[in-house]
Amino acid sequence: MNAPFTLAAEGLPRRPFTVKQVLRMVEMGVIGHDERFELIGGEMVRMSPKGIRHEIIKAWSIETLVRGLPKHLQTVPETTFYLSDDTFIEPDFVVYPRGKLAELSPQSCLLAIEIGDSSLAYDLGRKAEIYAQFGIGELWVINARTLVTCVHRDPVDDRYGSVEDVEAGMALTPLRIPELSIDLAGIDL
Protein backbone atom coordinates (compact mmCIF):
# COMPACT_ATOMS: atom_id res chain seq x y z
CA MET A 1 0.00 0.00 0.00
CA ASN A 2 1.37 3.40 -0.94
CA ALA A 3 0.18 6.36 1.11
CA PRO A 4 -0.64 9.42 -1.01
CA PHE A 5 1.59 12.49 -0.94
CA THR A 6 0.15 15.96 -0.58
CA LEU A 7 1.53 19.43 -1.11
CA ALA A 8 2.51 21.03 2.18
CA ALA A 9 0.43 23.85 3.62
CA GLU A 10 3.25 26.40 3.75
CA GLY A 11 3.45 28.34 6.96
CA LEU A 12 1.32 25.93 8.93
CA PRO A 13 2.78 23.67 11.63
CA ARG A 14 3.46 20.10 10.57
CA ARG A 15 4.23 17.02 12.63
CA PRO A 16 7.78 15.84 11.92
CA PHE A 17 8.61 12.13 11.76
CA THR A 18 11.70 10.35 13.03
CA VAL A 19 13.65 7.72 11.12
CA LYS A 20 12.39 5.11 13.61
CA GLN A 21 8.76 6.10 12.99
CA VAL A 22 9.18 5.96 9.22
CA LEU A 23 10.88 2.54 9.39
CA ARG A 24 8.01 1.30 11.57
CA MET A 25 5.45 2.61 9.06
CA VAL A 26 7.22 0.68 6.30
CA GLU A 27 7.35 -2.44 8.50
CA MET A 28 3.60 -2.15 9.21
CA GLY A 29 2.70 -1.61 5.54
CA VAL A 30 1.50 1.98 5.96
CA ILE A 31 4.27 3.01 3.56
CA GLY A 32 5.09 0.66 0.69
CA HIS A 33 8.58 -0.83 0.36
CA ASP A 34 8.67 0.50 -3.21
CA GLU A 35 7.97 4.13 -2.33
CA ARG A 36 10.80 6.52 -3.12
CA PHE A 37 11.25 9.38 -0.69
CA GLU A 38 13.79 10.98 1.60
CA LEU A 39 13.26 12.19 5.14
CA ILE A 40 14.51 15.76 5.48
CA GLY A 41 14.25 17.33 8.91
CA GLY A 42 11.34 15.06 9.73
CA GLU A 43 9.41 15.70 6.50
CA MET A 44 8.95 13.05 3.84
CA VAL A 45 10.04 14.42 0.46
CA ARG A 46 8.97 12.49 -2.61
CA MET A 47 11.77 11.66 -5.04
CA SER A 48 11.44 12.37 -8.74
CA PRO A 49 11.01 9.48 -11.16
CA LYS A 50 14.20 8.49 -12.96
CA GLY A 51 14.51 9.07 -16.69
CA ILE A 52 16.51 7.03 -19.17
CA ARG A 53 19.42 9.53 -19.19
CA HIS A 54 19.70 9.16 -15.41
CA GLU A 55 19.75 5.37 -15.72
CA ILE A 56 22.35 5.36 -18.53
CA ILE A 57 24.65 7.59 -16.48
CA LYS A 58 24.05 5.45 -13.39
CA ALA A 59 24.90 2.22 -15.26
CA TRP A 60 28.08 3.79 -16.71
CA SER A 61 29.05 5.15 -13.28
CA ILE A 62 28.63 1.75 -11.61
CA GLU A 63 31.05 0.15 -14.05
CA THR A 64 33.50 3.04 -13.89
CA LEU A 65 33.54 3.27 -10.10
CA VAL A 66 33.82 -0.48 -9.55
CA ARG A 67 36.74 -0.71 -12.00
CA GLY A 68 38.47 2.45 -10.83
CA LEU A 69 38.24 2.33 -7.05
CA PRO A 70 41.23 1.09 -5.08
CA LYS A 71 40.67 -2.26 -3.32
CA HIS A 72 40.26 -0.64 0.12
CA LEU A 73 37.15 1.30 -1.03
CA GLN A 74 33.62 0.36 -2.12
CA THR A 75 30.65 2.06 -3.71
CA VAL A 76 26.96 1.36 -3.53
CA PRO A 77 24.15 2.89 -5.58
CA GLU A 78 21.01 4.34 -4.02
CA THR A 79 21.62 3.32 -0.43
CA THR A 80 19.67 4.90 2.39
CA PHE A 81 22.14 7.22 4.10
CA TYR A 82 21.01 7.93 7.68
CA LEU A 83 22.27 11.37 8.74
CA SER A 84 20.35 12.00 11.96
CA ASP A 85 17.27 10.91 13.90
CA ASP A 86 15.04 12.84 11.48
CA THR A 87 16.96 12.82 8.20
CA PHE A 88 17.92 10.25 5.61
CA ILE A 89 18.76 10.68 1.95
CA GLU A 90 19.36 8.34 -0.97
CA PRO A 91 22.39 9.47 -2.98
CA ASP A 92 22.87 7.88 -6.37
CA PHE A 93 26.31 6.73 -5.12
CA VAL A 94 28.46 6.87 -2.03
CA VAL A 95 32.10 5.82 -1.80
CA TYR A 96 33.32 4.58 1.58
CA PRO A 97 35.95 2.27 3.15
CA ARG A 98 35.47 -1.40 2.18
CA GLY A 99 33.27 -3.35 4.57
CA LYS A 100 32.03 -0.26 6.41
CA LEU A 101 28.61 0.32 4.84
CA ALA A 102 26.86 -0.42 8.15
CA GLU A 103 28.90 2.38 9.74
CA LEU A 104 28.41 4.87 6.88
CA SER A 105 28.56 8.38 8.29
CA PRO A 106 29.34 11.87 6.99
CA GLN A 107 32.95 11.33 8.11
CA SER A 108 33.37 7.95 6.39
CA CYS A 109 31.65 9.03 3.17
CA LEU A 110 34.56 9.89 0.90
CA LEU A 111 32.37 10.97 -2.01
CA ALA A 112 28.64 11.33 -2.64
CA ILE A 113 27.30 11.51 -6.19
CA GLU A 114 23.90 12.69 -7.38
CA ILE A 115 22.71 12.44 -10.98
CA GLY A 116 20.32 15.30 -11.64
CA ASP A 117 17.80 15.18 -14.43
CA SER A 118 14.30 16.22 -13.38
CA SER A 119 15.71 16.71 -9.86
CA LEU A 120 18.68 18.90 -10.90
CA ALA A 121 17.49 22.13 -9.25
CA TYR A 122 16.78 20.30 -5.99
CA ASP A 123 20.11 18.42 -6.11
CA LEU A 124 22.07 21.65 -6.67
CA GLY A 125 20.00 23.62 -4.17
CA ARG A 126 18.34 22.24 -1.07
CA LYS A 127 19.90 18.77 -1.27
CA ALA A 128 23.44 20.20 -1.58
CA GLU A 129 22.66 22.30 1.51
CA ILE A 130 21.71 19.12 3.38
CA TYR A 131 24.95 17.42 2.37
CA ALA A 132 26.91 20.47 3.55
CA GLN A 133 24.92 20.78 6.78
CA PHE A 134 25.91 17.24 7.72
CA GLY A 135 29.55 17.76 6.73
CA ILE A 136 29.77 15.51 3.66
CA GLY A 137 33.24 16.49 2.44
CA GLU A 138 32.65 16.13 -1.29
CA LEU A 139 29.51 16.02 -3.41
CA TRP A 140 29.33 15.69 -7.18
CA VAL A 141 26.09 16.59 -8.95
CA ILE A 142 26.11 15.35 -12.54
CA ASN A 143 23.79 17.19 -14.92
CA ALA A 144 22.15 14.38 -16.92
CA ARG A 145 21.51 16.71 -19.86
CA THR A 146 24.94 18.35 -20.28
CA LEU A 147 27.25 15.97 -18.35
CA VAL A 148 28.66 18.99 -16.53
CA THR A 149 29.51 17.98 -12.97
CA CYS A 150 29.12 20.50 -10.18
CA VAL A 151 31.83 19.60 -7.65
CA HIS A 152 31.07 20.74 -4.09
CA ARG A 153 33.84 20.72 -1.47
CA ASP A 154 34.68 22.23 1.91
CA PRO A 155 31.33 22.22 3.74
CA VAL A 156 30.71 25.11 6.13
CA ASP A 157 27.32 25.19 7.91
CA ASP A 158 24.77 24.54 5.14
CA ARG A 159 26.92 25.69 2.22
CA TYR A 160 30.01 24.50 0.40
CA GLY A 161 33.04 26.78 0.41
CA SER A 162 34.12 25.52 -3.01
CA VAL A 163 31.71 24.89 -5.90
CA GLU A 164 33.13 24.30 -9.38
CA ASP A 165 31.63 23.13 -12.67
CA VAL A 166 33.68 20.50 -14.51
CA GLU A 167 32.88 19.87 -18.17
CA ALA A 168 32.69 16.38 -19.64
CA GLY A 169 36.11 15.67 -21.15
CA MET A 170 37.89 16.95 -18.05
CA ALA A 171 39.09 14.55 -15.37
CA LEU A 172 37.19 14.40 -12.09
CA THR A 173 39.34 13.37 -9.12
CA PRO A 174 37.97 13.28 -5.57
CA LEU A 175 40.20 14.99 -3.00
CA ARG A 176 40.15 12.00 -0.63
CA ILE A 177 40.57 9.43 -3.44
CA PRO A 178 43.43 10.83 -5.57
CA GLU A 179 43.95 7.48 -7.33
CA LEU A 180 40.47 7.69 -8.90
CA SER A 181 39.97 9.70 -12.07
CA ILE A 182 36.72 9.79 -14.02
CA ASP A 183 35.92 11.44 -17.35
CA LEU A 184 32.24 11.64 -18.26
CA ALA A 185 33.05 12.06 -21.95
CA GLY A 186 32.97 8.23 -22.11
CA ILE A 187 29.20 8.12 -21.55
CA ASP A 188 27.26 7.28 -24.70
CA LEU A 189 23.92 9.06 -24.44
Side-chain angles (χ1 to χ4, degrees), residues 36 44 53-54 67 96 101 122 136 153 158 166 182 189:
R36 296 189 63 244
M44 287 187 260
R53 294 176 74 86
H54 181 283
R67 288 183 188 144
Y96 55 93
L101 182 58
Y122 176 66
I136 308 298
R153 294 179 172 142
D158 63 349
V166 177
I182 296 175
L189 292 173

Side-chain angles (χ1 to χ4, degrees), residues 3-24:
F5 282 88
T6 63
L7 295 176
E10 289 305 313
L12 297 176
R14 294 182 285 268
R15 182 183 188 277
F17 294 102
T18 66
V19 169
K20 282 184 178 182
Q21 289 170 326
V22 170
L23 293 176
R24 182 73 175 138

Side-chain angles (χ1 to χ4, degrees):
M1 171 176 123
N2 289 346
F5 282 88
T6 63
L7 295 176
E10 289 305 313
L12 297 176
R14 294 182 285 268
R15 182 183 188 277
F17 294 102
T18 66
V19 169
K20 282 184 178 182
Q21 289 170 326
V22 170
L23 293 176
R24 182 73 175 138
M25 285 188 272
V26 171
E27 180 182 301
M28 299 301 296
V30 174
I31 298 173
H33 287 277
D34 61 337
E35 288 193 58
R36 296 189 63 244
F37 65 91
E38 295 176 322
L39 186 67
I40 309 297
E43 293 187 32
M44 287 187 260
V45 178
R46 187 172 187 218
M47 295 176 68
S48 300
K50 300 174 204 163
I52 190 63
R53 294 176 74 86
H54 181 283
E55 295 302 283
I56 290 169
I57 295 167
K58 183 174 74 175
W60 181 89
S61 297
I62 289 170
E63 290 178 15
T64 302
L65 288 169
V66 167
R67 288 183 188 144
L69 283 175
K71 296 289 185 213
H72 67 282
L73 300 178
Q74 284 183 290
T75 188
V76 65
E78 300 175 351
T79 191
T80 303
F81 191 172
Y82 297 97
L83 297 172
S84 70
D85 289 341
D86 68 355
T87 300
F88 63 76
I89 55 178
E90 289 199 4
D92 286 302
F93 295 95
V94 290
V95 178
Y96 55 93
R98 180 168 293 284
K100 300 294 184 182
L101 182 58
E103 294 92 34
L104 184 63
S105 69
Q107 295 74 31
S108 66
C109 178
L110 304 175
L111 174 65
I113 301 173
E114 292 285 352
I115 302 165
D117 195 355
S118 60
S119 66
L120 183 62
Y122 176 66
D123 292 337
L124 289 171
R126 179 65 182 122
K127 197 160 184 186
E129 290 173 358
I130 293 163
Y131 279 104
Q133 175 186 351
F134 285 95
I136 308 298
E138 188 162 355
L139 166 66
W140 294 356
V141 179
I142 301 169
N143 182 324
R145 297 275 168 210
T146 65
L147 297 182
V148 170
T149 301
C150 188
V151 177
H152 299 77
R153 294 179 172 142
D154 306 320
V156 178
D157 298 324
D158 63 349
R159 301 269 185 254
Y160 279 94
S162 172
V163 179
E164 174 188 7
D165 285 341
V166 177
E167 300 286 332
M170 297 176 63
L172 289 161
T173 302
L175 287 179
R176 294 173 63 190
I177 317 169
E179 57 271 57
L180 177 65
S181 183
I182 296 175
D183 180 354
L184 297 179
I187 297 176
D188 185 20
L189 292 173

